Amino acid sequence: MKRLLGLIILLVAAGAVAAAEFPIDLNSASLEEIMQLPIPPQDARAIYEYREFRSYFKSIYDLMKVPGIDAQELEVLKPLVRIEPVEVDYFARRMSIAQRSVRRWGASEGSNEGLIDLWIDIAKDPPNINTASVYDLMNLQNVSPVDAVAIVKHREAIGSYRGRRDLRYTPGLSGWGYMNARSLVKYKDAEQAGELHGRYQLRARSASFDMDLDELLREDVFSASGIYDSWYERLHLDKTRPEISQKLYFKYYLSDSVTTRLGLLSWRAPGERRVDQHIKGFVGLEGLKFGNLSIEKIYLGDYLVGFGQGLIMENSDYFKPRKTGYSWDKRYYGILGDISRTDEFRLTGLAVQASWHNWKMLGFYSDDKKDAVLNKDGSVFNYIMLTPTIENEDLTRYGLPPMRDALRERTFGGNLRYVISPGTHIGISGYESHYNRRFDPKGGEAVIERFDRVTDADNEVFSSYRSPGKFRRIVGIEFQSVFKNYCLQAEYAEMDIRGRLFKLGDDPKALVASLWAQYNNLNFLCLYRDYDLGFDNPYCRGYSNYERFKGTILEDQYYLSDPIYGLLFDNAVTPQAERGIYFSSRYRLTESIIPRFEYDRWTRVADGATYYRFVGNLEVRLLYPLRFKVRQQFQGRNRDDRLTPMSYGLDETRLELEMRLSNYDMVEFTYIRSGTEWPPRPRLVGDVEPDGDHPASGQAFQPSWALLVHGLHNFTDRLTLSLGALYYSGFVWFFELTDFVALDNRNSARYWIAVQDQITDRLWLELKVAYDRGLPITNTDIRRYNQQYGSDIDAPNIINSERYFRIQIDYMW
């Protein structure tokens, strides 16, 4: 009776309020207005705080998610309140989409932060689907040329796309293409003439180097003073000098079709001294029209340029293995203002992109200084990417020739295409660089000390570019054809040395050709590549499994005259000379079963070594919240002759269980087991001392294992917490949110916590902290100290602990 009486009193009070006022909108009402509702004050405040700190209300029944609100109070509130839809800020929505995309792009094998940054910048400024060309749409992740052509043809048929519903029913657009394109395009321009928009980013993270680079920098060097030290000590890298970068980007709308862009970037790599060690910037103008001539883009300053299959030109400081141009391995066609951290292969000057009728034109000019290794006579052995930056006074202090800005490079080139039909074109392209020095590898005398360790694989080093003059010229042809649900692409390039310019095959050459077929639930890719050993193009980013100099003496810095020359391999970004064929496929068998596979078989041209790689993935979703994933990889070299010392075999299995909870929360468990097998080496199997123990380095199999636990919880639509723990032994690689991490310790543990907070509609904060503690394998003298308890053990007791932080602030307006 008391509850019934209370309900009657509430209803009477509600009737009185309703008679006096219209229902209030809970998505816009002030705290004072909500406090006037006939409910307890603490419940009214809870409604206000839910809206401010968690989410806007989508329906009246969302009130049941508010702590303290029960069914009785809901009945009281129904006639007193209303829910009006909230128009989310356009730029806030674009930023949220970009942030969510980071997780997917970071999870693709071989990704790195530099490439992800580029695609995030593109996602923040998406193309208008009603004005975008086929090539603009092809630049989007997981949108194939077949999908792009289908979108353009359907747009011509219906006039324009109004929203996702129109996109979903595009004939010929695959389900996978739709799922990715829907959040990477816009349907109308929200901006108007005279508007100024921009974004600012500040990122800082602790100074840390990847595993191979850290080993190189710590390699002992016998200095002229008669003592052993390392570049880690010489550059005082033990001091805390975190990496810091700042980006500033503006976009101003001169009219409805003409825009101007401005970008600035300053950054300091880990261990470098000055905060403004590197500075880049550009100014651009887009959308100019003069009758049938369209000047799509003009950029002055730093810019990125790419076309074809990447054989001739794609300037970046990042190597991506197996970059096919499809799925997660997209290539960017055209020019783009460059505020990435590309430094060695940056292009600085003028670039123009235009179209006239069916012709597409792109041209560029650059004048910049490059780091390079010099021979004794002043000629250039090769480009080198110095990380961290080492100034010339430091190099000469320790007896090395200057490398910083040692080469001046002036480059001009372009690409000309004739578009036969949407998605089908044929084109010619090329570039020419002029230098202030000649290139001559001179048998590696500038960098190699132990010539007794040279093998056939080092032919790649000795076949580096030897210029007939102070120039380098690359020319080629490329084409693409889209027919129904098939796409054929190819690019052929030659490096002009002494042959005839228009005669094919008389100079070092490269070829990449691919065939893509897609259906609604199935796609298939076949790709062939063939690089001559002498095709040494510093701007080539074509498909390959390995970077140049992989497996050569440059990979072993202890055989070089100075460990710093190991950066020639560690930072190599051009493809290795390979000849082989690659297959991949994704098949959506049912709604809940999706298998994928990759198979690659190739030959290293330098020494004829044969390689293979197979990766199979299976995703099963038998129960909606649960996803079970299996990844199996087999990889090897010279498996036809397992007794050769260079033979190896890799076997890796990954089992993942992912639980997708409410409110986009997620928990995942991953178990990793892998092992690498080499031919047994009898000289290493015997005992160092006759004590009955057997050193581990004589074994023919090196196992690794890891257990990963990761959880993600969305406290609100704006606040996300991520926790992770990894227990491992041996070599393991994985993605820690957007960071690619490779570890090689034993019986170790790594923990991390990350917070993402959208403080306001335009301001985002990300913070991540990680801690790693383990026994490093590299500090263990296996032959001497692999003994039973009670023996004299010292090296295995060395504990290696590392701390890592990363903070990022983004603001848009």
Side-chain angles (χ1 to χ4, degrees):
M1 290 296 295
K2 290 182 179 179
R3 291 183 178 179
L4 179 60
L5 181 60
L7 179 60
I8 292 174
I9 293 174
L10 287 174
L11 290 173
V12 171
V17 173
E21 301 177 358
F22 290 104
I24 63 172
D25 176 21
L26 287 182
N27 282 331
S28 61
S30 65
L31 176 61
E32 291 74 16
E33 291 175 320
I34 297 176
M35 293 291 288
Q36 293 178 5
L37 294 172
I39 56 177
Q42 63 271 22
D43 292 347
R45 181 173 291 276
I47 292 175
Y48 176 79
E49 291 179 350
Y50 182 92
R51 184 195 73 190
E52 290 298 307
F53 302 112
R54 287 189 61 88
S55 175
Y56 288 111
F57 296 101
K58 297 181 177 63
S59 74
I60 190 69
Y61 296 100
D62 284 347
L63 286 170
M64 295 298 293
K65 300 178 183 178
V66 179
I69 302 297
D70 55 23
Q72 291 184 354
E73 291 185 354
L74 178 63
E75 291 299 323
V76 172
L77 293 174
K78 279 184 177 179
L80 303 178
V81 299
R82 69 183 192 274
I83 306 298
E84 294 292 338
V86 177
E87 184 176 350
V88 180
D89 183 272
Y90 170 76
F91 297 100
R93 185 171 66 252
R94 293 310 319 172
M95 185 66 181
S96 298
I97 291 173
Q99 297 292 347
R100 290 197 303 270
S101 300
V102 169
R103 301 173 191 169
R104 294 183 297 160
W105 294 338
S108 61
E109 183 182 353
S111 291
N112 59 66
E113 191 176 27
L115 291 174
I116 291 175
D117 280 349
L118 170 62
W119 294 111
I120 289 299
D121 286 340
I122 295 174
K124 291 174 183 176
D125 190 14
N128 185 331
I129 195 172
N130 289 310
T131 58
S133 69
V134 169
Y135 304 104
D136 293 330
L137 297 172
M138 283 173 53
N139 286 334
L140 303 178
Q141 294 284 355
N142 285 300
V143 177
S144 71
V146 176
D147 292 327
V149 170
I151 291 173
V152 170
K153 287 185 175 180
H154 189 58
R155 182 183 68 198
E156 294 174 351
I158 65 174
S160 65
Y161 282 95
R162 295 167 296 178
R164 287 189 177 184
R165 181 181 296 273
D166 291 343
L167 182 62
R168 180 66 186 90
Y169 295 103
T170 298
L173 177 63
S174 65
W176 184 239
Y178 164 75
M179 290 175 61
N180 289 275
R182 63 185 180 182
S183 57
L184 297 176
V185 298
K186 58 184 179 183
Y187 300 92
K188 61 180 180 179
D189 294 318
E191 307 84 3
Q192 297 179 356
E195 289 187 3
L196 174 66
H197 298 286
R199 58 180 181 266
Y200 170 78
Q201 180 187 91
L202 170 65
R203 177 187 295 164
R205 62 180 181 183
S206 53
S208 62
F209 303 101
D210 65 60
M211 186 173 58
D212 293 333
L213 179 57
D214 187 77
E215 179 182 347
L216 182 152
L217 293 172
R218 294 180 185 273
E219 183 76 24
D220 284 338
V221 185
F222 187 72
S223 64
S225 59
I227 62 173
Y228 281 96
D229 59 3
S230 68
W231 282 103
Y232 201 89
E233 295 169 309
R234 292 173 175 180
L235 300 176
H236 306 288
L237 297 179
D238 53 327
K239 296 182 180 180
T240 304
R241 290 198 294 266
E243 174 184 342
I244 299 176
S245 67
Q246 297 184 81
K247 279 184 182 180
L248 188 60
Y249 179 86
F250 296 97
K251 185 176 182 181
Y252 181 70
Y253 293 82
L254 297 173
S255 67
D256 292 341
S257 60
V258 181
T259 60
T260 183
R261 300 174 187 262
L262 174 68
L264 297 170
L265 168 70
S266 72
W267 85 96
R268 177 180 71 186
E272 294 179 342
R273 299 167 188 171
R274 303 198 321 267
V275 176
D276 59 345
Q277 181 74 47
H278 310 277
I279 297 177
K280 298 173 71 173
F282 71 88
V283 60
L285 192 63
E286 299 182 0
L288 294 174
K289 287 185 176 295
F290 303 95
N292 293 324
L293 177 63
S294 175
I295 308 297
E296 298 170 358
K297 299 178 181 180
I298 301 178
Y299 281 97
L300 183 65
D302 294 295
Y303 56 87
L304 297 171
V305 59
F307 42 78
Q309 302 299 301
L311 295 185
I312 295 179
M313 175 57 65
E314 186 177 325
N315 65 308
S316 74
D317 283 359
Y318 307 104
F319 174 76
K320 176 70 168 67
R322 297 171 294 280
K323 192 172 183 180
T324 62
Y326 290 92
S327 189
W328 303 107
D329 301 321
K330 279 290 185 175
R331 301 186 183 280
Y332 186 84
Y333 166 75
I335 60 175
L336 192 69
D338 183 15
I339 49 175
S340 72
R341 282 170 292 169
T342 290
D343 185 52
E344 175 70 359
F345 295 104
R346 66 196 287 182
L347 294 178
T348 304
L350 177 67
V352 180
Q353 182 176 324
S355 62
W356 181 70
H357 295 290
N358 288 5
W359 293 94
K360 297 281 186 181
M361 296 156 280
L362 185 155
F364 57 91
Y365 173 79
S366 170
D367 189 343
D368 191 33
K369 292 183 178 180
K370 310 294 182 183
D371 299 344
V373 176
L374 302 182
N375 298 306
K376 293 180 180 180
D377 63 357
S379 61
V380 177
F381 172 73
N382 216 319
Y383 293 86
I384 187 170
M385 210 181 300
L386 294 172
T387 54
T389 297
I390 306 176
E391 300 298 341
N392 287 330
E393 51 265 30
D394 293 323
L395 292 167
T396 55
R397 182 183 302 121
Y398 295 105
L400 296 180
M403 299 186 216
R404 181 73 174 154
D405 293 337
L407 176 69
R408 183 182 180 186
E409 177 191 273
R410 288 173 292 175
T411 301
F412 62 92
N415 172 257
L416 178 64
R417 292 180 172 182
Y418 181 76
V419 179
I420 301 171
S421 63
T424 300
H425 71 262
I426 186 170
I428 58 173
S429 50
Y431 80 86
E432 185 170 316
S433 292
H434 291 263
Y435 311 108
N436 61 331
R437 302 175 186 267
R438 294 179 63 253
F439 276 77
D440 191 346
K442 289 188 176 295
E445 63 182 31
V447 297
I448 300 175
E449 183 176 79
R450 296 289 303 275
F451 281 93
D452 59 313
R453 294 293 182 175
V454 168
T455 66
D456 290 343
D458 297 313
N459 288 327
E460 190 163 49
V461 178
F462 307 139
S463 298
S464 296
Y465 181 58
R466 179 179 286 105
S467 60
K470 297 180 180 180
F471 73 93
R472 186 186 321 237
R473 182 184 300 121
I474 313 288
V475 294
I477 57 175
E478 51 102 7
F479 81 94
Q480 172 181 291
S481 178
V482 174
F483 176 71
K484 294 184 178 180
N485 56 325
Y486 301 95
C487 179
L488 179 63
Q489 295 178 326
E491 183 173 25
Y492 176 86
E494 280 194 6
M495 185 168 64
D496 182 30
I497 298 180
R498 299 188 184 279
R500 297 172 60 184
L501 182 60
F502 297 103
K503 183 179 180 180
L504 299 181
D506 60 346
D507 280 318
K509 59 188 179 300
L511 170 68
V512 172
S514 66
L515 174 64
W516 168 269
Q518 79 173 38
Y519 302 87
N520 193 40
N521 295 312
L522 171 68
N523 61 52
F524 180 81
L525 173 65
C526 175
L527 183 146
Y528 175 79
R529 81 281 196 180
D530 186 353
Y531 298 93
D532 280 355
L533 195 60
F535 187 79
D536 184 11
N537 176 12
Y539 291 101
C540 176
R541 304 293 181 269
Y543 177 96
S544 71
N545 256 276
Y546 292 129
E547 61 269 55
R548 193 170 180 85
F549 304 137
K550 173 69 174 176
T552 70
I553 197 171
L554 298 183
E555 191 175 359
D556 302 322
Q557 65 269 10
Y558 37 82
Y559 292 148
L560 306 180
S561 55
D562 192 282
I564 206 65
Y565 291 131
L567 294 175
L568 289 164
F569 162 72
D570 275 9
N571 289 335
V573 293
T574 57
Q576 186 163 63
E578 300 175 354
R579 183 178 299 114
I581 192 165
Y582 167 84
F583 301 95
S584 72
S585 181
R586 179 184 184 273
Y587 182 35
R588 190 182 183 188
L589 187 62
T590 67
E591 185 72 23
S592 57
I593 301 178
I594 303 176
R596 292 180 291 120
F597 87 90
E598 296 177 75
Y599 179 73
D600 200 353
R601 190 168 184 88
W602 73 98
T603 299
R604 184 168 62 190
V605 177
D607 61 349
T610 58
Y611 292 78
Y612 72 91
R613 178 179 181 272
F614 171 83
V615 178
N617 291 272
L618 178 64
E619 180 178 333
V620 180
R621 292 175 286 178
L622 298 179
L623 185 63
Y624 171 71
L626 297 178
R627 295 188 178 202
F628 182 70
K629 301 177 182 179
V630 181
R631 182 184 186 276
Q632 180 63 52
Q633 177 176 346
F634 298 105
Q635 185 170 334
R637 176 178 60 205
N638 288 339
R639 301 304 282 169
D640 297 334
D641 183 6
R642 300 197 177 193
L643 296 181
T644 177
M646 300 304 293
S647 172
Y648 80 88
L650 171 68
D651 178 358
E652 180 184 88
T653 304
R654 293 180 178 240
L655 305 177
E656 180 180 336
L657 177 63
E658 180 181 306
M659 295 185 290
R660 297 196 173 186
L661 310 176
S662 60
N663 197 34
Y664 297 100
D665 290 355
M666 180 266 292
V667 178
E668 63 179 350
F669 303 88
T670 303
Y671 174 72
I672 305 171
R673 183 207 63 81
S674 67
T676 305
E677 178 186 10
W678 293 276
R681 301 183 181 184
R683 65 183 179 85
L684 298 177
V685 176
D687 300 331
V688 178
E689 297 176 356
D691 56 6
D693 296 328
H694 297 279
S697 61
Q699 68 185 20
F701 187 78
Q702 180 179 333
S704 301
W705 65 267
L707 178 63
L708 171 66
V709 181
H710 174 227
L712 186 146
H713 176 57
N714 295 286
F715 289 97
T716 70
D717 290 346
R718 296 170 177 259
L719 179 61
T720 299
L721 174 67
S722 180
L723 297 169
L726 175 75
Y727 302 94
Y728 67 99
S729 183
F731 176 77
V732 62
W733 62 268
F734 71 105
F735 290 96
E736 195 175 81
L737 299 180
T738 59
D739 294 321
F740 177 79
V741 180
L743 304 168
D744 193 5
N745 294 324
R746 64 183 183 89
N747 302 326
S748 304
R750 183 179 177 92
Y751 311 93
W752 74 90
I753 179 173
V755 177
Q756 293 181 329
D757 188 9
Q758 184 179 347
I759 300 173
T760 69
D761 285 346
R762 303 290 182 93
L763 180 63
W764 287 261
L765 171 66
E766 296 182 36
L767 175 63
K768 174 188 168 185
V769 179
Y771 174 71
D772 191 290
R773 185 178 188 274
L775 299 174
I777 293 175
T778 53
N779 287 349
T780 303
D781 186 350
I782 301 175
R783 288 177 59 86
R784 178 72 180 172
Y785 297 107
N786 185 27
Q787 300 176 354
Q788 301 295 328
Y789 287 105
S791 301
D792 184 15
I793 302 174
D794 60 356
N797 294 328
I798 299 174
I799 302 299
N800 181 25
S801 62
E802 293 185 3
R803 294 168 178 84
Y804 171 90
F805 80 88
R806 166 178 167 150
I807 184 170
Q808 180 172 318
I809 299 173
D810 289 273
Y811 181 71
M812 298 180 67
W813 67 88

